[in-house]
Amino acid sequence: MSEFDVGYFQEPFKSLCASYPGTEAYDPAHFRVEWGPIFHRGRLDGSAKMLVIGQDPAQHETVVRRILVGEAGRRIQGFLGKLGVTRSYVMINTFLYSAYGNPTAKNRKNPKLVEYRNSWLDALILGKTIEGVVALGDRADEAWKMWRATPNGTAFTKTYVKITHPTQPESSSGGNHAKLEQATKKMLLNWNAGLQTLAPSMTHPDEAIPMVLYGEAFLETEKLQIPDIDFPAGLPAWMRENDGWARRVGTNEAKKRANITITVPKKNLPS
Amino acid sequence: MSEFDVGYFQEPFKSLCASYPGTEAYDPAHFRVEWGPIFHRGRLDGSAKMLVIGQDPAQHETVVRRILVGEAGRRIQGFLGKLGVTRSYVMINTFLYSAYGNPTAKNRKNPKLVEYRNSWLDALILGKTIEGVVALGDRADEAWKMWRATPNGTAFTKTYVKITHPTQPESSSGGNHAKLEQATKKMLLNWNAGLQTLAPSMTHPDEAIPMVLYGEAFLETEKLQIPDIDFPAGLPAWMRENDGWARRVGTNEAKKRANITITVPKKNLPS
C-alpha cells in the first residue's frame, strides 16, 4: 500500500487549477512558462496546521508536478518535523512557474500574478486551522507581505516567520566549501530562531515531541524524505528519496531551457 | 480556463491506485517497473460509454502519468470521435508498466497481474453505463478474454470489438514506406469494420454525428489532440498536441532504460 495525493478535486482548488494565469502575468523572459504551472504540495482538505511559502519550482518539481520536492523540500520537511508537523502542512510558492534568472520588481508585482497567489492564500487560510506560516527567503516574504496588505490579510493573527531559503547556503557560496559551511551554520541559527518562534503556536502538531534544535551543520536525519501522500499516484519512490535525478541538459542556455532529462538512480534499476 | 483530470479521488479507484502490484506481478526483466505504474485515461465518474483497452505505456505516458497520450492515443481519439464519443470514454492498459521487449506468456498470465487488472475492469463495467468495449491488438484482446472468463465477465452482454493496435503499421513495417502504407490501409479497413460493429451499440454518444469511415490512409483530421480534461492539472498544452517530445536516450540499452529526455517543441519556447 502506498498513499498518494488525490489532487485538486475540491473547490476552490479545482477552479484555481483550471484558471491559472499564463504569459499575461508571467513574462516568458523571466519565467519558464512553457513547462506549465506547479501549484502546491501537501494537504488541501483543511487539515493543514502549517503553511509554507516557497519561491519557485525547479526541474524535479516540473516532473513531479508538486513543489518543494528536491533538496530544499527535504530540508524543509526536516524543519517541519522538528515541530511535530509530519503531515498537516500545505505549501505554495511565490511563483507558479520556474524563474528564469532573477524576476524584476515589475514582474513580481504584476497585479494578475499577485491576485492569483492571494486567491490561494485566501483559500488556504481564511476559515481554516493554520497555526503558523513560514516564508522561505525574501521573495516569499514579499509575497506574504502583499497578502497581509489585503483586507483578508490584515485580519491574520497567527504566527508568521521568515526563514532563510533552504538552499541559500549553496546559492550564496559559489562552490566554496568554507563559505558553504559558514552559510549553513548561519542559516541553521536563523532556523533555530524560527523554530522557537513557531513552537508555542503549533498547538495541534501531528506528534507532540520535544524540540531538538539544529547544530552547526545538517545531520542526515534532519533531511527527510518527502512522504508518499504528497506525490501524485503511481510515481516511483526514488523520486521522493533524493533529488539529482532531473537535470536541464544542453550545450547552450536555450537548449537547457528546452530540456529536462530524467535518469533513474542506478540502485533502482534491475541489475 | 482549462479543464483537467481530477484524478483518483473516488473509490474504488483511490484504493486501486494505492494498492497496485509491483515486481511480484511484473518481472523487471520484462517490464520497466522502475518508472511506476500508469493507470488510465478518461472518465472515472461513471459517465464513460466506451471502454478502450490498450497495451502498455511508453515514455510520453510515463511523463504525463496517463495512458495513450502519444500517437496511438491521437489515433484512437480519432476513432472514438467517429462514433461521436468525444468525452465519455475511459481507457486502461493490459499492462500497468511499460513492456521491455515482449512479455512472455508466463508473465502475461501472472495471477497477481491479471487479478489487479480484472479489479479495474470490474470497477469500470459492473453497474456502469459502458455500451461498447474496444481492445487494441492481441495483448488487449487476451486481457479482455481473461476477464470474460471470470464470473463477473461472463455476464457481459454489450458489444466488444478487437481492432488492430493503432501503431501496428509502424511496428510491422520496419521503416519501409510501402509496407507502412499497405499496413495502414489494412488497419483502417479493420477499423472501419470495428466502427460498423460498434456504432449501433453506442446509443448515448456525446455527439450524434453521421458515420464517416476511414479511407486508405489517415487524414490529419482523423488524428485528434488529447483533450485537456484527460491530463493532470497544469501540464502544458504541447504535451497534448503531438508526441515526439519525450525520448529514451542513451548509448546502450541499460542507459536508454534509465532515461527519459523531455524537449519542449521549438514553437512553444520564447523566441
Side-chain angles (χ1 to χ4, degrees), chain B residues 93-114:
Chain B
N93 271 338
T94 302
F95 304 123
L96 273 183
Y97 301 93
S98 180
Y100 191 70
N102 219 338
T104 61
K106 191 183 157 199
N107 271 275
R108 300 192 323 257
K109 292 173 183 176
N110 181 309
K112 286 177 184 161
L113 183 163
V114 176

Side-chain angles (χ1 to χ4, degrees), chain B residues 149-162:
Chain B
T150 67
N152 286 335
T154 310
F156 183 81
T157 57
K158 307 291 176 170
T159 305
Y160 166 77
V161 297
K162 171 194 170 182

Side-chain angles (χ1 to χ4, degrees), chain B residues 15-16 19 36 44 70 89 106 110 113 117 133 160 175 198 208-209 212 237 239 243 252 257 261:
Chain B
S15 293
L16 283 168
S19 62
L44 296 176
Y89 53 80
K106 191 183 157 199
N110 181 309
L113 183 163
R117 185 178 60 218
V133 177
Y160 166 77
L198 285 162
I209 50 167
V212 179
M239 289 191 177
D243 66 4
N252 61 41
R257 181 163 175 166
T261 294

Side-chain angles (χ1 to χ4, degrees), chain A residues 18 34 65 238 258 260 262 264, chain B residues 2 34 234 238 258 260 262 264:
Chain A
E34 65 275 11
R65 310 309 293 194
W238 52 262
I260 293 180
I262 311 173
V264 182
Chain B
S2 53
E34 64 276 10
W238 53 262
I260 292 180
I262 310 173
V264 182

Side-chain angles (χ1 to χ4, degrees), chain B residues 211-254:
Chain B
M211 170 74 73
V212 179
L213 295 176
Y214 291 99
E216 299 194 344
F218 278 107
L219 304 175
E220 258 319 300
T221 52
E222 289 171 334
K223 303 179 191 182
L224 297 183
Q225 186 176 317
I226 315 297
D228 54 3
I229 195 177
D230 285 9
F231 267 43
L235 290 190
W238 53 262
M239 289 191 177
R240 296 184 285 107
E241 284 162 8
N242 266 305
D243 66 4
W245 50 263
R247 291 179 306 137
R248 301 192 195 274
V249 175
T251 49
N252 61 41
E253 278 310 307

Side-chain angles (χ1 to χ4, degrees), chain A residues 46-79:
Chain A
S47 67
K49 301 288 180 280
M50 174 78 84
L51 167 64
V52 177
I53 307 175
Q55 186 172 293
D56 69 301
Q59 66 274 29
H60 293 88
E61 287 76 13
T62 303
V63 175
V64 171
R65 310 309 293 194
R66 294 294 185 270
I67 69 164
L68 283 164
V69 301
E71 180 64 14
R74 293 176 66 226
R75 291 182 185 180
I76 204 64
Q77 204 71 30
F79 181 93

Side-chain angles (χ1 to χ4, degrees), chain A residues 25-42:
Chain A
Y26 286 90
D27 182 351
H30 296 277
F31 294 96
R32 294 181 177 89
V33 182
E34 65 275 11
W35 291 94
I38 300 150
F39 298 106
H40 104 297
R41 175 156 77 86

